[in-house]
Structures are given as structure tokens and as C-alpha cells.
Amino acid sequence: MRWSNLSAPAGGGSLQDRAAPTAPPLPLALPGAAVRTFDTPGFAGMTFYEIQAKSLINRVPGASRVPFEWTINPYRGCSHACAYCLSGDTPILMADGATRRLADLRPGDAVMGTMGAGSTRRYVPTTVLDHWSTSKAAFRVTLADGTRLVSSGDHRFLTDRGWRHVSPAEPHQPALAVGDLMFGVGHFAEPPKESPDYMAGFLCGLIRGDAGRGDVGRGDVGGVPARGDDAWARADGYLDDVPLHEALRWPELPTTGWYRGFLAGAFGSVGRADRLAISFVSADRLYLARVTEALTHLGLPSRTPVRVRGGGTGTVEIDRDLWAALRFRHLTGIDGAPLDASGVGVRAGRQLAVVDIEDLGLTLPLFDISTGTGDFIADGVVSHNCFARHTHSYLDLDTGHDFDSKIVVKVNAGELIRRELAAPRWSGAPVAMGTNVDVYQRAEGRYRLMPEILAALRDHANPFSILTKGTLILRDLELLTQAAEVTRVGLSFSVGFVDEEVWRAVESGTPSPRRRLDAVRRLTDAGFDVGVLMAPILPGLTDTDESIDETVAAIAAAGATSVTPLPLHLRPGAREWYAAWLTRTRPDLAPRYRELYGNGSYAPQAYQREVTARVRIAARRHGLHRAEPGEARAINPVHEREAAEGPQREMAVDPQREVAVDQQLTLL
């Protein structure tokens, strides 16, 4: 993920002026940033990129199913964990059926993505959230239908065996192989060139079609009619180059260019578009025969024209599938044919079999986008978004070398938060913190951004919530208490287990579970209702009855008001990291994980329900249950803290709300 779009231009007294002269080169395009390293042991090997950010309060993307709308993230990881993908010339399928070069896309563009899994995956429109470029070693993937895709080795495509990297850098990552079947619609057709043949065909199709309409009205048949005015405007331009008498003549041997133009003109006069269907309606039997001939020449199956009798009308209709609908649009270059592919199933086919994967031996400029669905359609195949490993913080795992060692810091957070909270357009909506990266990570001890943020939220009486596993939150206990007197404050800690050996193995960079529970106790003693997200529960490591009972007992003893179990969730990125750790340290558990997760991100529902039930039983055994009205401790009883007051609060042992918790923590 690239953060240059968050960085404001440097003004006078730039932070860059104070940067250490020996700072390492900046890997990201961050205008006015200062690059810092510190000699203290706690920050050995870490690099901090200090930026003057443009904004601090960020809206959650509309596609994210989370129980909050706004977030504050004063810290960000860097882009080094991102896998950049494709050549800038790669055509990307837009939501309206057109295509555009990957290099030319911009945030806000509507493209086609997919949702679902396996055989139930379907096409849906989605929005480009970000766009960036880099230089990477390039590979070329060739498919049976002739499609050639140039990408980086770490890019992933959807196949019949799941997501596969073109040429993974790590041996544990699933690799694309010759014979894999990709999902999609197949190679996009090249758009037509406006040659003399194309222009002559266009004029013939438009003028003869208009003459053969007879009494056929625009409203006589279903579907959306072609935009005739636009077609005639094109015709006016073409008549400057093609004499009308030549355009109206049927050629003895029509070229492919003429057929393309003829169909575009015919659609402009008698065409209809209805979701995936393209049809032509005319009273001229010979004209419809020419339409069928042109479609056949271009390889587009069509229904036999209805015979015209007694001056009636006939219809020619292209097969109603996404491949045909797209190919017609791309081959003819038509305008004004709306496409609605929402809900159409995504399929794999032999024509999309991988026949070659070639290392080009070149470093090329490559481009990537992120979208609301996490994917997009690149030259006819489903292509994965390339995100930073955003799930590691909520999995309570080490976040990986790059994400953990290179931190972007919004050093002007205090100034920004006050300006944004005071803006007339700000509604005072609740904001969530700790939903992407921990706001109380170790860097906060040096940069001290949270006190200013909390003071501003307090002064504006703006409700907020914090999810953390950092005991540094206790430094700001007085500010939290002051804020809770005037607004709603939700606090949650993440404690997946209390086993010290497991903690040292998988999250040694965080405070120990016991220290986190001590922080829970101090916060509850101060009057806060603190919920605990018991995550991740690790199959084979911390999901035993003994481990669950010990952890829930410790959580209850700390005074927490709720516990929410969440079995390990392995999204791409986190999945590869965790698999590498597991096979290195506990290879005996690898078969168990293959059985539970397969190629997916979640453990089976049966396993999740079983774990949730055992946590619920333990919670009842140790007296940890939902507080009834009047039981929950509160600093100011005037402000009744309901479950909805913070996204991390009161989701205890409720399997129906696990999805909300999970989505909250996987914010993009």
C-alpha cells in the first residue's frame, strides 16, 4: 500500500531539514518526509518515515462490512510487503464493459471485480481505492487462448487450485503451474482501428439499418436502444473521408474491419442492449442476414433471425453470456451499450489453461491497484489485489520484517485532529482506533501522538473506541478518564492466550499476556468496561480445554466485562507468514492446518462453533458474562454505555457477531 497520497507538501521548517544526514534512502514517494533511525536497542533495525499528513480521520471504504464508519490511524506500515502486479498496458475490465489500460486507472474508477468463493464466485462492480507503480523483475504468462500477461513473480491469479503466485519468492507460497485453469472470460478483443473499411461499414450499417426500420419504434421491444444521435455524429465525421455512394454499396469481399464497422453502425440504428443481451430489430430481411453474416465472421454465435413475413419485423440476438457481450463491444467499438454483469457466475475453461510461464530477465515498470472487492479482471482473468500484510496486527502475530521495521508516522496528527473535529462538515460520529495498526505500538512511546489525539477528542466530546495490545495505553489513563466524563469511550484489549512459551514464539514484540491483563485490571479499576478479544485461538496450540480455561480465568480475574473468542484467521499475506513459522517450528501440526484451512482463510464453521461454545462454558464457569443493566461499572452513569457505543465493545461469546469483529479487524 502506498502512502504518498497522504503526505502534504513540505512547507517552511520542513521535517526533512532535521533528518539525519546518514538516513537510508526513502523507498516510498513521501514528499517532505524525514527518514529517521534511532540508536536505542528497542528500535534497532527500524526506520521511521515522518510525514506531514493531509488527513487523520479516514472514512472506511463502503465495501467493508464493519460496524463503524470512521477510523484514526496515526501510524502506518510501509509498502515493501506489497506485491506489484502487471504491465501498464494490461487492459482492465471497467464496470460498464469497456476496458482501460492499467496505467491509466485512477482512484474512484468503477471496475469489475468478483465476490464469493469457488464455484459460487460472481462478478460485481467495485471501486478503485488506490493506484501505484514500481519496477520489478518481469514474467510472462501465456494462456491457451493466446492471452499474454506480464507481471511480477509475486503477483497472484485465481485458478482452479486457488490463488497462485506467478513465481513465488518463498517455497511455501503456492505457485502457478503449466496446466492450471484460470478463472475469467478470456482474452479481451483489440478495439477496431478507424480505417476506411471500418468507416464505410459503419456508414452502411447505420444508414441501411435506419432505412429498414420501417414502422419499428424505439419502444416496441425491450431493452435500451442505441444512442442514435451519437452514432449519427460519428457518421458525419466519417462522411468527410468516405463518399456516401461507396458506403451504401455492399462489398463483394467484406474485410474484418468492414464487418466490425457494419455491426457498430447497425447497433447505432436498430440495436438494443439489455443486461448481457445484444439484439437487432429490423423489417429488412436482407439487412438482418448481413448482420448474422457479420456476427458469424467475427466468431459471435447468434440466434437464427425470425423470418420476416408480410412486412413484419425480425430479430437477431447474440448469445446471452458475458464473453459474447464483451467481445461484441470490444470488436465493434460501440458506444452507448450499457452492460450489467452483476451476479453473473465466474467460470474457468480450457481456453484459459496456462501453457507457459517465462522469466523475461528484465526489470520493467509495473502497476497495481487496490479495489473494494480485493480483485479485478486483467485481460479477461481474475487478478488479485496486492495489499500490504494488513491482517498481522489483529492475528497477534509478528507483522513481518518490513511491516514491523519500517513505520510511517503522521507527526502532525495533533494539529490535524483538532482542525478536522472543528470543521463544520464533521458530524461528531464515533471513530475507531487500533483497527489497522496498534496506536499504542512501541513507536508511540517516542512520538507521543495519542495524548494530543485524545485531548482533542475530549475537548470536542467526540465518542471513540480503542483496540490495543499495548500497555502504553496506561500512560494516557487520565486523558481517557477525562474523555469518558463527556463522551462514550470503548476500550478493548487483545489477549489470545496466556502461555508464555507460545507468546515468545509468535508475538514476542508485544507486551506479554500477563502485562496486558494487568493493564485491563487497572483500566477496570478506573471504572472502564474493558472487553477482551480472545484472538487468535491457535489450532493445536491454544485451543485445548486447558489453555482456554486458563486464559478465560485470567481474563475474568482481570475484571474484563466480556470475552470474544476468535479462532485464527489466515488471509493472504498472514497465511504465508504463519505457514512458514509453523513448518519451521511445529511441522507436526502442518497436516492439521491443511485439514482445517485448505486453500481458504477460515477454519470450518463447525470448528469455530466448537471453540466458541467451549469459551462460553469457561466464561460462565469463571463468572464472566454480559453485564445486565445497572451492573456494568461506569465512570459517569449519565452516559449509558451500550453495546453499540464502540466497535470493540460487548461482543462477548456471541457467534452471530464474530463476522463483525473479524471485519472490523481486517480493515483495508
Side-chain angles (χ1 to χ4, degrees):
M1 201 169 284
R2 190 181 62 166
W3 305 110
S4 59
N5 63 313
L6 302 180
S7 181
S14 167
L15 284 169
Q16 199 166 21
D17 298 335
R18 305 198 303 270
T22 58
L26 188 67
L28 306 175
L30 297 174
V35 187
R36 295 187 180 277
T37 58
F38 301 105
D39 295 331
T40 54
F43 297 108
M46 298 184 70
T47 305
F48 296 88
Y49 302 98
E50 301 173 351
I51 67 167
Q52 294 282 340
K54 293 180 181 178
S55 64
L56 191 67
I57 303 177
N58 298 306
R59 183 188 291 273
V60 177
S64 297
R65 302 190 308 274
V66 294
F68 54 88
E69 187 178 3
W70 301 93
T71 68
I72 292 177
N73 289 294
Y75 300 95
R76 293 288 191 181
C78 80
S79 67
H80 277 258
C82 288
Y84 297 87
C85 55
L86 298 165
S87 166
D89 291 332
T90 305
I92 305 302
L93 183 61
M94 308 302 289
D96 63 0
T99 65
R100 191 179 302 172
R101 295 172 67 248
L102 176 58
D104 297 334
L105 289 176
R106 293 295 179 266
D109 287 340
V111 298
M112 194 71 74
T114 73
M115 292 189 69
S119 60
T120 63
R121 188 177 290 270
R122 298 187 179 278
Y123 292 102
V124 294
T126 187
T127 303
V128 175
L129 304 178
D130 198 5
H131 179 275
W132 63 96
S133 65
T134 190
S135 293
K136 288 276 188 174
F139 293 76
R140 181 166 54 213
V141 178
T142 303
L143 306 184
D145 70 349
T147 302
R148 292 184 175 182
L149 297 149
V150 176
S151 76
S152 65
D154 46 14
H155 184 62
R156 282 176 288 170
F157 293 103
L158 182 62
T159 76
D160 56 336
R161 297 191 299 133
W163 294 103
R164 288 292 182 266
H165 296 263
V166 172
S167 180
E170 301 293 336
H172 62 272
Q173 295 176 331
L176 191 68
V178 171
D180 283 345
L181 302 183
M182 288 195 182
F183 278 78
V185 291
H187 178 62
F188 296 143
E190 294 291 333
K193 295 180 174 61
E194 292 191 328
S195 64
D197 278 354
Y198 177 87
M199 291 187 287
F202 183 91
L203 290 168
C204 183
L206 181 69
I207 297 171
R208 284 185 175 273
D210 188 68
R213 286 176 58 198
D215 295 330
V216 179
R218 291 285 180 186
D220 290 344
V221 289
V224 180
R227 296 168 59 188
D229 292 343
D230 292 344
W232 284 105
R234 289 178 67 182
D236 288 341
Y238 291 166
L239 284 170
D240 293 336
D241 299 305
V242 180
L244 181 59
H245 70 278
E246 291 185 11
L248 292 178
R249 186 170 57 238
W250 296 110
E252 292 184 9
L253 295 173
T255 65
T256 297
W258 188 91
Y259 279 129
R260 288 189 181 200
F262 175 75
L263 287 174
F267 182 81
S269 61
V270 299
R272 300 288 190 275
D274 182 15
R275 281 183 57 82
L276 300 182
I278 295 288
S279 59
F280 302 85
V281 181
S282 175
D284 186 335
R285 180 176 179 180
L286 178 59
Y287 181 80
L288 289 180
R290 287 285 185 174
V291 169
T292 302
E293 177 185 331
L295 292 171
T296 302
H297 179 85
L298 297 179
L300 290 167
S302 61
R303 301 188 182 197
T304 303
V306 176
R307 290 188 176 276
V308 180
R309 295 177 181 174
T313 61
T315 301
V316 175
E317 184 177 278
I318 300 173
D319 283 359
R320 299 190 180 205
D321 64 66
L322 183 57
W323 176 85
L326 292 174
R327 192 162 181 81
F328 177 82
R329 286 165 172 80
H330 300 162
L331 284 171
T332 61
I334 61 171
D335 296 320
L339 175 78
D340 182 5
S342 298
V344 174
V346 183
R347 299 181 180 89
R350 295 308 309 176
Q351 78 279 9
L352 299 182
V354 177
V355 297
D356 190 30
I357 304 171
E358 179 185 1
D359 185 347
L360 296 180
L362 299 171
T363 297
L364 298 176
L366 300 174
F367 295 79
D368 195 14
I369 58 175
S370 61
T371 70
T373 58
D375 63 4
F376 55 97
I377 314 302
D379 205 1
V381 296
V382 181
S383 179
H384 199 282
N385 277 200
C386 301
F387 292 106
R389 294 198 272 180
H390 54 277
T391 55
H392 286 202
S393 60
Y394 88 83
L395 288 174
D396 288 336
L397 303 176
D398 186 278
T399 55
H401 176 73
D402 287 333
F403 210 117
D404 189 54
S405 62
K406 296 178 175 67
I407 307 298
V408 175
V409 186
K410 301 177 185 179
V411 292
N412 60 335
E415 170 193 342
L416 281 175
I417 186 64
R418 287 194 176 275
R419 186 171 71 215
E420 293 175 350
L421 290 175
R425 65 179 180 274
W426 177 244
S427 64
V431 294
M433 292 178 280
T435 60
N436 193 1
V437 294
D438 199 331
V439 295
Y440 282 107
Q441 59 182 278
R442 286 181 294 163
E444 171 61 18
R446 176 172 289 272
Y447 284 98
R448 299 184 62 86
L449 301 181
M450 284 300 294
E452 293 182 84
I453 293 172
L454 293 176
L457 291 167
R458 174 202 63 193
D459 294 346
H460 287 269
N462 201 104
F464 64 89
S465 61
I466 300 173
L467 170 65
T468 184
K469 52 180 173 281
T471 55
L472 188 59
I473 190 175
L474 295 175
R475 180 201 62 191
D476 298 335
L477 180 55
E478 183 177 354
L479 280 170
L480 291 168
T481 302
Q482 294 170 3
E485 295 291 340
V486 296
T487 190
R488 300 189 304 276
V489 176
L491 301 180
S492 294
F493 258 83
S494 173
V495 183
F497 42 81
V498 293
D499 188 298
E500 295 281 330
E501 184 177 346
V502 175
W503 164 68
R504 290 190 180 92
V506 300
E507 54 176 30
S508 59
T510 66
S512 72
R514 296 295 180 182
R515 288 182 57 200
R516 279 178 257 170
L517 290 172
D518 287 342
V520 171
R521 166 56 65 191
R522 288 190 57 183
L523 290 168
T524 56
D525 286 346
F528 287 95
D529 298 333
V530 183
V532 171
L533 182 65
M534 189 172 164
I537 297 175
L538 307 174
L541 294 171
T542 64
D543 64 346
T544 64
D545 287 338
E546 293 76 15
S547 177
I548 289 175
D549 188 76
E550 183 182 13
T551 303
V552 172
I555 292 170
T561 58
S562 66
V563 57
T564 302
L566 190 64
L568 179 65
H569 170 206
L570 292 174
R571 272 200 165 190
R575 179 187 182 91
E576 290 81 5
W577 186 94
Y578 187 79
W581 173 83
L582 187 72
T583 54
R584 185 174 61 251
T585 60
R586 289 295 304 273
D588 58 301
L589 290 178
R592 173 64 170 154
Y593 278 79
R594 284 195 294 269
E595 175 188 350
L596 284 174
Y597 292 92
N599 292 324
S601 298
Y602 296 90
Q605 285 293 322
Y607 174 82
Q608 295 185 47
R609 287 193 294 268
E610 176 195 345
V611 170
T612 298
R614 289 195 283 132
V615 172
R616 180 186 294 113
I617 292 170
R620 290 173 179 168
R621 183 162 55 247
H622 293 286
L624 183 58
H625 62 285
R626 290 186 183 277
E628 298 298 329
E631 288 184 8
R633 287 176 288 179
I635 291 176
N636 187 347
V638 173
H639 297 287
E640 182 178 340
R641 293 185 175 85
E642 299 177 356
E645 70 184 13
Q648 296 90 11
R649 194 177 171 276
E650 286 297 299
M651 296 183 185
V653 291
D654 187 349
Q656 298 300 319
R657 301 193 65 180
E658 285 186 23
V659 172
V661 179
D662 180 44
Q663 290 295 327
Q664 165 207 329
L665 296 168
T666 55
L667 175 65
L668 299 182

